Amino acid sequence: MQSKYPIISNELIAQENEQSENSLIPHEPETPLIPLITFQEAYKHFKSVIFPNGYNNQSKGNCCSCSSEKTKNEKLFIKSLNKIKYNQNDRIHFRILFSIYYFFTKKNCDKEGEHWQDIGFQSDTPSADLITVGMFGPLQILYGINKYPFLYQEIFEYLLQRKCDLYFMVNLLSMCKFSYNLIERDLLDNLVNEANDYFIIANEIYVGMGYEYNTEIKNYGSSNILTIEYIVKTIENISRMR
């Protein structure tokens, strides 16, 4: 299989060494000051918060009704998750955002500060950008970077190296919002059967948009925030048609 990465020349190494002086990513990762959290751990936490007594599955009889009830419960979970507002003083909430920040920068971070803008939030706290997606957005981003880490590292590094205006998190959250809208409009129901997890399907659609995003930004070369916003809209349109 042909590698998707270019052969590294001495010239490329020299360029990368020059760029690394101003890189957000340190040569040696810092030791995390709080435990990083995985998607599965965060997912189970919110399941226990939203359904403290477990799913209320009252369906009896055939598999179709069981599947329908499962889908109904999972959609309720996602919609409830979307309504949970980010609280930086909540231990799990902050661990999720901390884990996302650490994934991209390999640095520790405080709850507030300009460092959040380094990964593409618009202000000194993620709160404002999370208003429309609640904790659904961060959990979906966590899924992506846990399961497909190289994809998201590649996008982030590409934008850094080309010194693009880096509203990176805003763009990822826009994709999360799009996948949530598909759920809210019941457009994913025909993809689900008794063997599927509704949330995982939504997450994979979000990741698929990430692959499109990675392709499109490279087609545009040196992008700025306007073209990146256009790219996100283009990807949403492609996903909607598919």
Side-chain angles (χ1 to χ4, degrees):
M1 180 181 295
Q2 184 176 2
S3 173
K4 63 179 178 179
Y5 298 103
I7 298 174
I8 299 177
S9 64
N10 291 332
E11 181 181 355
L12 181 60
I13 292 173
Q15 290 174 351
E16 290 182 346
N17 287 339
E18 181 179 352
Q19 291 168 344
S20 68
E21 294 180 5
N22 297 319
S23 176
L24 295 172
I25 303 176
H27 295 293
E28 294 295 332
E30 296 180 359
T31 302
L33 295 179
I34 65 173
L36 302 177
I37 192 169
T38 65
F39 168 79
Q40 285 297 335
E41 184 181 352
Y43 179 71
K44 289 178 181 178
H45 166 77
F46 285 116
K47 273 285 183 73
S48 67
V49 169
I50 294 170
F51 296 108
N53 299 317
Y55 277 157
N56 182 25
N57 192 338
Q58 300 296 327
S59 294
K60 305 291 182 182
N62 60 41
C63 289
C64 291
S65 62
C66 292
S67 176
S68 176
E69 189 65 25
K70 178 184 176 184
T71 297
K72 179 181 176 182
N73 282 327
E74 290 181 349
K75 286 164 71 174
L76 177 59
F77 168 72
I78 292 168
K79 290 178 180 180
S80 300
L81 189 61
N82 190 73
K83 293 178 182 177
I84 298 177
K85 301 305 179 186
Y86 172 63
N87 177 2
Q88 65 183 20
N89 295 318
D90 182 291
R91 183 177 61 88
I92 297 296
H93 289 201
F94 181 64
R95 279 181 65 197
I96 293 171
L97 269 295
F98 178 91
S99 298
I100 292 171
Y101 181 86
Y102 185 86
F103 171 82
F104 289 108
T105 68
K106 300 302 182 287
K107 295 180 181 180
N108 292 292
C109 68
D110 295 325
K111 294 177 179 178
E112 296 183 6
E114 292 183 357
H115 54 271
W116 290 110
Q117 297 178 44
D118 292 343
I119 62 170
F121 286 104
Q122 296 184 82
S123 64
D124 292 355
T125 173
S127 301
D129 292 322
L130 297 177
I131 287 176
T132 60
V133 292
M135 289 307 294
F136 169 77
L139 191 56
Q140 194 161 67
I141 291 172
L142 192 63
Y143 173 89
I145 64 177
N146 276 191
K147 191 170 181 182
Y148 304 95
F150 295 111
L151 168 64
Y152 292 96
Q153 286 171 341
E154 184 175 320
I155 298 171
F156 186 71
E157 288 288 348
Y158 181 87
L159 293 173
L160 279 182
Q161 289 169 7
R162 279 143 189 83
K163 297 186 165 89
C164 298
D165 291 330
L166 195 64
Y167 282 128
F168 181 52
M169 276 299 132
V170 175
N171 290 321
L172 293 188
L173 290 170
S174 177
M175 297 177 203
C176 294
K177 182 62 177 177
F178 177 81
S179 67
Y180 179 78
N181 288 340
L182 296 179
I183 297 164
E184 196 169 42
R185 296 166 59 194
D186 301 324
L187 297 180
L188 303 186
D189 291 11
N190 63 336
L191 299 179
V192 181
N193 58 44
E194 63 273 12
N196 294 139
D197 186 302
Y198 201 97
F199 194 22
I200 298 302
I201 289 175
N203 289 343
E204 288 294 324
I205 288 174
Y206 157 77
V207 170
M209 295 176 71
Y211 275 100
E212 296 280 2
Y213 182 81
N214 191 30
T215 300
E216 290 300 321
I217 59 174
K218 291 175 182 178
N219 288 341
Y220 273 80
S222 58
S223 300
N224 56 38
I225 187 60
L226 294 177
T227 57
I228 291 174
E229 287 178 349
Y230 173 77
I231 288 167
V232 171
K233 291 298 180 185
T234 301
I235 292 165
E236 289 177 354
N237 290 334
I238 292 170
S239 301
R240 186 177 292 107
M241 288 187 291
R242 287 182 178 175

